[in-house]
Amino acid sequence: MQKPSALSELCRKFIGTGLITAEGDEHKRLRKDSSPAFSFRRVKDLYPVFWDVSAQFTAGVAQQLAKKEASPVVEINHWANLATTDIIGMAAMGKDFGSLKQGQDHPLIANFEEITNPSTEKVIYFALNILGLSQIVRLLPWRMNKLADTISTNLYSICSKLVSQKQTELASAKPNTHNDILSHLITTTTLSHQQLVDQFLTILSAGHGTTSVTFTWLTYLLAQNPEIQKRLRSEIHQHVPSPNEPVNGDDLASILQSLPLLNGVCNETLRLYPAINIIYRNTVRSTLLVGNVIAAGVQVILSPWAINRDKRFWGTDAEEFRPQRWIDVDAETGAEKPNNSGGAESNYANLTFLHGPRSCIGHSFAVAELRCLVAMFVGRFEFEMADPDEVVIP
Ligand code: HEM
């Protein structure tokens, strides 16, 4: 299976040929080069970064709430976006993008947002391109063509400068002093400048909005389930060091990984609200899918949303928010510990991060980041929906 070529072509315009858009041997090579940067060990080393930015995030929200004229209503997705941007800046290139401090997006993210924030015009532009009509679209006197060109040039030029800066810094740095993903790629692979820029853009685009939207859904679910919110806060207060206490990255990782309800809430949100809810593929040769012969060149749509909520895999309460399904209870002692299956028999019942050679390379990164953001935020604030009657439509 491969991604439909029109979709890849459109993505390539903005993020070049990186892990998301490459196919075949090129993808295999990039994946092999990049995987060590996302290993469990490296993600563990990033916990202090996740923790530090999470503390800035809650401090920023607290400051907004403390302003006399401010209403106690916070647009949580905006703050979550700033936090995940700063995390990806530090983790991907060791650079503080300063979004939380300035309360606004870094120019790179502002450009991504400009092209991805939904409007009817953009939806039509993307739909026509994905349908393979890019040649015709380009001929139209349409401001979307100009906007897309400007954004693509901006993204490339900002990233290219950042990559060049990093290359210069590394040339005179002592070994092992730069722990970020880009430094890893520069020092351990033979990727060209252009390939490094593409990889960097890919990681930024894949790695910030996905986690922030998951965090936002998680706060929504906890606002709907105040009892679970309260129990989670008590678990956090009991076991997690306060933000002012110094904590070593390995200890923090071990504590957060072991908390049953924290992991249950994160996993259950990831199951119910997968950030990528539809995935498109084309068959490259004829194949068998669940016993059906599928010819070459047929488009297949995978829906993590549908699979993750399927009653055949998750039981009759599949649509319900039940963090408990991710917790094992010892029959004798009553002790609780997190499990990784949610009680489903097959790994494939959960497609949030996909599986196989095109699965999310940032899976452990995202879960670690989410644990830190949630522990810090829920530990500090009690929250509810600004409008309890709002009907939230994903
Ligand atoms: C909750 C957060 C996240 C979710 C739900 C998620 C989900 C996914 C999914 C479903 C794919 C497969 C897409 C496809 O093939 O069509 C994917 C790919 C990818 N993700 Fe994530 N992701 C998340 C966070 C991250 C983070 C934090 C990073 C990087 C720091 C990242 C980097 C990538 C990359 C580079 C790919 C392409 C992998 C390849 O094709 O080899 N993701 N992600």
Side-chain angles (χ1 to χ4, degrees), residues 152-171:
S152 140
T153 311
N154 289 350
L155 287 173
Y156 183 83
S157 83
I158 302 172
C159 257
S160 176
K161 272 192 210 129
L162 289 171
V163 170
S164 299
Q165 264 174 23
K166 191 78 198 177
Q167 285 171 314
T168 313
E169 281 166 32
L170 283 175

Side-chain angles (χ1 to χ4, degrees), residues 11-12 31 39 65 74 98 125 152 186 190 220 226 270 300 350 362:
C11 293
R12 232 175 263 133
R31 181 93 188 189
S39 67
L65 292 172
V74 171
Y125 174 81
S152 140
I186 294 174
T190 54
Y220 164 76
L270 285 160
V300 176
N350 190 340

Side-chain angles (χ1 to χ4, degrees), residues 346-364:
S346 159
N347 256 346
Y348 295 95
N350 190 340
L351 291 189
T352 298
F353 292 101
L354 218 58
H355 296 282
R358 298 303 298 235
S359 65
C360 176
I361 201 168
H363 180 164
S364 322

Side-chain angles (χ1 to χ4, degrees), residues 3 19-20 27 31 38 88 202-203 206-207 210-211 214 270 275-276 279 281 352-354 357-362 365-366 369:
K3 297 186 180 175
L19 268 176
I20 290 180
H27 174 263
R31 181 93 188 189
F38 292 92
I88 205 86
T202 297
I203 290 165
T210 41
T211 319
T214 306
L270 285 160
I276 300 178
I279 293 171
R281 291 291 189 265
T352 298
F353 292 101
L354 218 58
R358 298 303 298 235
S359 65
C360 176
I361 201 168
F365 181 116
E369 181 183 10

Side-chain angles (χ1 to χ4, degrees), residues 72-264:
V73 174
V74 171
E75 170 48 53
I76 213 63
N77 198 51
H78 165 72
W79 280 98
N81 256 323
L82 299 179
T84 55
T85 300
D86 283 353
I87 285 179
I88 205 86
M90 287 300 293
M93 71 167 314
K95 191 172 168 59
D96 183 1
F97 282 172
S99 327
L100 281 164
K101 286 184 196 118
Q102 288 151 28
Q104 65 184 44
D105 287 326
H106 183 273
L108 257 180
I109 304 300
N111 273 282
F112 272 125
E113 304 265 304
E114 169 106 34
I115 199 70
T116 50
N117 273 350
S119 70
T120 311
E121 193 180 25
K122 284 178 208 159
V123 170
I124 296 171
Y125 174 81
F126 282 115
L128 291 173
N129 275 282
I130 291 168
L131 288 170
L133 300 172
S134 60
Q135 312 275 22
I136 299 169
V137 170
R138 279 220 67 79
L139 297 174
L140 301 174
W142 187 7
R143 69 168 210 110
M144 275 309 297
N145 283 319
K146 176 98 182 48
L147 179 71
D149 288 346
T150 310
I151 301 270
S152 140
T153 311
N154 289 350
L155 287 173
Y156 183 83
S157 83
I158 302 172
C159 257
S160 176
K161 272 192 210 129
L162 289 171
V163 170
S164 299
Q165 264 174 23
K166 191 78 198 177
Q167 285 171 314
T168 313
E169 281 166 32
L170 283 175
S172 57
K174 289 192 186 130
N176 302 325
T177 47
H178 288 243
N179 218 3
D180 54 272
I181 297 170
L182 186 58
S183 300
H184 168 85
L185 291 176
I186 294 174
T187 50
T188 63
T189 70
T190 54
L191 295 182
S192 66
H193 181 83
Q194 168 83 52
Q195 286 173 315
L196 289 168
V197 173
D198 290 355
Q199 274 299 83
F200 186 49
L201 274 170
T202 297
I203 290 165
L204 281 182
S205 69
H208 89 280
T210 41
T211 319
S212 61
V213 81
T214 306
F215 178 83
T216 305
W217 281 117
L218 187 145
T219 55
Y220 164 76
L221 287 166
L222 289 181
Q224 305 286 356
N225 293 274
E227 195 42 46
I228 299 178
Q229 184 188 143
K230 202 166 146 199
R231 275 200 285 129
L232 176 58
R233 185 167 306 106
S234 136
E235 182 185 82
I236 292 164
H237 287 170
Q238 216 178 327
H239 298 283
V240 181
S242 107
N244 311 321
E245 279 176 52
V247 61
N248 142 319
D250 277 7
D251 291 348
L252 181 65
S254 309
I255 295 170
L256 297 186
Q257 281 163 13
S258 71
L259 297 184
L261 196 52
L262 176 66
N263 285 280

